[in-house]
Amino acid sequence: MKLMNLRFKVNSWLGKDVYKELLSFSDFITRKEGVSIFEINEDKMKNNNYTPIDVIEKLKELEDVIDKNDLTNIENFLKDSIGVSLEYDGRFIILRSKLFLKPYLEDFKAKGKYNSTHKYYQFEPFLYLDLKEHLISRGLIVDDKTGIFIENKLPRQLNFNGELRDYQEEAVKAWVSNKNRGVIVLPTGSGKTIVAINAMIRLNVPTLIVVYTKEHIRQWEDSIKKFTDAGGLIGSYYGDEKTILPITITTYQSAFRNIGLFSKKFMLLIFDEAHHLPAEKFKAIAMKMPSPYRMGLSATAVREDGKHEEIFPLIGGIIYQKSPSELSEEGYLAPFVIRRIRVELNKEDMNKYDELRKLYINYSKGRSFDEILEAARRGETNAIKALKIKSQMQQIIQKSSAKIEKVIEIAKNELSRGSKIIIFTQYRDQAEELASKLNAYLIHGGIDEKNRLETLYNFKNSKSGILVITTVGDEGLDIPDANVGIFVSGTGSRRQFLQRLGRLLRPAPGKKSVLYEIIASRTSEEAQSKKRRSGI
């Protein structure tokens, strides 16, 4: 950039301070006929940390006394010489410039893809604001042609009608200090939704809330109405309901299908149950939306497949977390105990299990389960056989008659004490068997929504009783007075275990909760149990 002879005329006497500031980026050349002439000095600009934008802004402050043609010429020259433009084609942020941009992008946190034919860079939309701020910090003039967030505030300032607990306030502050980005990890029942609503009110910008089910949409609507005065500003977008308002709640599926529709409208994204994001199409929501402010909510900081490490940075990384034990000790969650109950498989089941274990060892060839899974994806015969055998082993363990008998014994004992019990199982047939033998309420994926809601309503309004539920209850189940859980069958997932435990932890006077974990001795469930209980 050559700034030789880039001059401007000042048609007035200048105060001492203004004159001194002009000399920070220009030289005084002469004064004749009542006009002072200055020339831009590039070395002074660099030495005094003046960017071209700073120069233009300062000269515009004096536009009443600076020759208008000089001001226009300087602005056009600087924009042409060190200007860049940002565009948004619905898929990528496009960066164009006459400059050789590579040196300006070397220290940016993400590499853009260079189109050599049309001579522009393209970046994933989630990098939009970071890229814009980076280019400005490097002294470039950014012409933003994206049309993103033209109106970036809610129609009115909303008020928060609640009171945050100490840890909730800490979580919001951690998020704000991280540029209004990040994942907050708190147990089920600890008020993650309230944290997000408070953060939304503080920012007061158009917000898209992404949730997993239609039931979650209703829960969020109710919570926003309860804790804010946002009436009239809340819309829902899913299925047949397609209302987009400044605060819109949608499902992961709907958000994925309508990224183009949502992308320019919302500055804040809130991902409820953020552990779902690693699914490839859901990941696209985080990558293809340019929203600069993001919050993820989850009950667990990790996924067993490790994919949280690639997704959470798209939201801002984990910035705050508390475990169930910590919040229970502080009195915010009900005190609880986890009781591991071991049962012995009958002789026939144990023999089948041992035979299958030998076959599994033979086909797995010493590899870890993740390695076997990857090999199976590639079509390796031995790995595919190993996975089938692993599934058969799990069925023997988790559906054993010994487990059923122990669950019935514990449930009847707790029911006699007036407990309100939730039995968690992985399998529909097992759930149906237990519900039949215990005369219990039953919810699984094969029951239509109307009957599920009716069953849930009846159980919630009973003083005691038993609800048997499959994985459809791992998220969104809200039974505040449930105090006993029985974990019959599941995975080694910490997330699933924490979610099931969280169903029992809503605090109440005198409430103490217990989660029974039924495991088969001398089987792989021993290791699974240890894995899923870590971090609690």
Side-chain angles (χ1 to χ4, degrees):
M1 179 175 69
K2 301 285 186 182
L3 299 180
M4 290 269 303
N5 300 319
L6 197 58
R7 297 184 174 186
F8 59 94
K9 297 182 286 293
V10 180
N11 305 312
S12 172
W13 284 103
L14 297 170
K16 184 178 178 180
D17 291 342
V18 175
Y19 178 75
K20 186 177 179 181
E21 186 165 4
L22 289 178
L23 291 183
S24 297
F25 58 82
S26 64
D27 296 321
F28 174 72
I29 303 302
T30 186
R31 181 173 176 81
K32 56 184 179 182
E33 299 178 359
V35 176
S36 299
I37 300 174
F38 294 81
E39 183 175 283
I40 304 293
N41 185 316
E42 187 175 3
D43 289 334
K44 282 187 174 182
M45 285 175 59
K46 290 179 180 177
N47 292 337
N48 293 304
N49 295 318
Y50 271 82
T51 69
I53 296 174
D54 296 331
V55 172
I56 291 173
E57 288 180 350
K58 185 60 190 176
L59 294 181
K60 281 186 174 180
E61 290 177 9
L62 302 171
E63 60 184 352
D64 290 340
V65 295
I66 288 180
D67 185 284
K68 287 182 171 55
N69 289 330
D70 291 344
L71 182 57
T72 299
N73 290 337
I74 290 171
E75 188 171 5
N76 289 340
F77 178 88
L78 291 177
K79 284 184 175 179
D80 190 55
S81 300
I82 48 134
V84 298
S85 70
L86 291 178
E87 302 165 15
Y88 179 48
D89 65 0
R91 297 178 304 153
F92 297 100
I93 299 296
I94 305 298
L95 171 62
R96 303 179 190 272
S97 179
K98 294 180 181 179
L99 285 171
F100 178 57
L101 287 174
K102 188 175 180 180
Y104 293 93
L105 296 172
E106 284 177 344
D107 55 346
F108 186 56
K109 65 181 183 180
K111 289 186 178 180
K113 185 178 180 181
Y114 184 66
N115 186 311
S116 57
T117 303
H118 299 286
K119 301 188 184 309
Y120 63 72
Y121 285 88
Q122 61 184 35
F123 289 86
E124 291 291 351
F126 80 95
L127 295 165
Y128 162 67
L129 189 62
D130 287 337
L131 177 63
K132 184 175 179 178
E133 291 178 346
H134 173 79
L135 295 169
I136 292 172
S137 74
R138 294 298 307 271
L140 300 177
I141 297 173
V142 178
D143 183 10
D144 190 340
K145 300 177 180 179
T146 63
I148 296 171
F149 318 129
I150 295 172
E151 296 181 9
N152 58 6
K153 286 291 181 182
L154 293 177
R156 63 178 188 272
Q157 177 61 55
L158 301 184
N159 296 302
F160 183 68
N161 303 326
E163 186 174 340
L164 295 183
R165 298 168 177 172
D166 291 345
Y167 67 88
Q168 292 170 329
E169 181 70 34
E170 289 172 2
V172 174
K173 287 181 177 178
W175 182 75
V176 171
S177 66
N178 194 47
K179 298 182 177 180
N180 302 312
R181 301 178 192 177
V183 179
I184 293 171
V185 180
L186 290 170
T188 301
S190 60
K192 294 188 290 293
T193 302
I194 298 171
V195 170
I197 291 171
N198 182 266
M200 178 182 72
I201 296 303
R202 295 191 192 197
L203 267 187
N204 210 60
V205 297
T207 300
L208 182 68
I209 301 165
V210 186
V211 304
Y212 198 59
T213 68
K214 290 185 290 185
E215 288 84 357
H216 289 139
I217 288 179
R218 286 192 286 269
Q219 290 171 15
W220 273 87
E221 285 177 341
D222 291 343
S223 293
I224 294 172
K225 289 174 181 176
K226 178 181 178 181
F227 290 104
T228 78
D229 54 353
L233 299 181
I234 309 167
S236 299
Y237 198 99
Y238 69 98
D240 295 330
E241 176 65 39
K242 290 182 169 57
T243 304
I244 297 179
L245 289 174
I247 299 170
T248 296
I249 312 166
T250 187
T251 62
Y252 278 88
Q253 293 283 359
S254 294
F256 170 70
R257 288 194 294 265
N258 296 281
I259 289 173
L261 180 64
F262 294 142
S263 59
K264 290 187 178 183
K265 293 182 171 65
F266 300 101
M267 290 195 74
L268 171 60
L269 288 180
I270 297 175
F271 294 101
D272 194 17
E273 307 291 353
H275 47 269
H276 290 298
L277 272 173
E280 201 58 36
K281 63 181 181 180
F282 296 158
K283 178 181 176 181
I285 305 168
M287 294 192 72
K288 297 299 182 181
M289 292 280 286
S291 310
Y293 310 127
R294 293 155 180 254
M295 175 182 285
L297 303 172
S298 185
T300 177
V302 298
R303 281 175 55 111
E304 271 57 48
D305 59 12
K307 288 190 175 181
H308 57 279
E309 294 180 0
E310 64 185 69
I311 295 301
F312 285 174
L314 296 177
I315 310 176
I318 297 170
I319 47 97
Y320 188 84
Q321 59 182 314
K322 285 271 190 179
S323 70
S325 297
E326 288 175 301
L327 293 185
S328 179
E329 288 171 6
E330 294 170 15
Y332 293 115
L333 294 179
F336 67 92
V337 62
I338 300 172
R339 292 179 182 163
R340 183 184 292 169
I341 307 296
R342 289 179 171 82
V343 297
E344 294 285 341
L345 297 182
N346 63 42
K347 188 175 181 181
E348 182 182 355
D349 285 344
M350 198 70 226
N351 287 338
K352 286 180 183 177
Y353 179 81
D354 285 338
E355 288 173 9
L356 289 170
R357 180 163 52 184
K358 290 173 184 175
L359 286 172
Y360 178 77
I361 291 170
N362 181 50
Y363 287 118
S364 63
K365 299 186 181 303
R367 292 173 291 184
S368 70
F369 182 74
D370 288 340
E371 289 170 333
I372 295 168
L373 199 59
E374 182 58 36
R377 290 193 185 108
R378 297 194 303 268
E380 185 196 302
T381 303
N382 283 340
I384 293 170
K385 287 181 179 178
L387 289 181
K388 288 181 179 178
I389 292 167
K390 184 76 170 177
S391 176
Q392 291 173 331
M393 292 167 65
Q394 287 296 103
Q395 294 270 339
I396 290 172
I397 295 170
Q398 301 202 4
K399 293 185 176 181
S400 69
S401 58
K403 276 196 170 192
I404 296 292
E405 291 167 6
K406 181 55 70 173
V407 171
I408 291 172
E409 176 191 328
I410 293 171
K412 286 182 176 179
N413 185 42
E414 286 289 351
L415 191 62
S416 69
R417 299 175 184 174
S419 296
K420 198 161 185 175
I421 307 154
I422 304 176
I423 299 175
F424 302 99
T425 171
Q426 198 78 358
Y427 305 101
R428 184 185 300 183
D429 56 349
Q430 188 178 61
E432 290 172 343
E433 180 183 357
L434 284 167
S436 175
K437 291 182 175 179
L438 288 166
N439 193 28
Y441 294 101
L442 173 65
I443 293 178
H444 59 57
I447 298 173
D448 64 78
E449 184 179 9
K450 180 182 177 182
N451 285 325
R452 276 159 50 183
L453 291 173
E454 184 179 341
T455 298
L456 196 56
Y457 175 84
N458 290 335
F459 182 65
K460 287 179 77 167
N461 286 280
S462 63
K463 289 186 177 180
S464 68
I466 303 171
L467 170 66
V468 184
I469 194 161
T470 60
T471 52
V472 296
D474 285 347
E475 295 177 11
L477 186 69
D478 185 19
I479 315 287
D481 56 344
N483 65 316
V484 173
I486 305 176
F487 191 110
V488 188
S489 55
T491 67
S493 164
R494 279 170 283 187
R495 174 177 58 82
Q496 184 188 63
F497 195 73
L498 282 166
Q499 285 173 324
R500 291 178 170 184
L501 173 63
R503 305 301 162 210
L504 313 173
L505 300 185
R506 301 280 185 187
K511 179 180 177 181
K512 292 182 179 179
S513 297
V514 57
L515 177 62
Y516 294 93
E517 184 188 12
I518 315 298
I519 62 171
S521 296
R522 297 181 292 126
T523 70
S524 58
E525 266 200 325
E526 298 268 14
Q528 271 192 340
S529 170
K530 185 177 180 181
K531 178 182 177 183
R532 64 192 174 211
R533 287 162 58 119
S534 62
I536 294 174

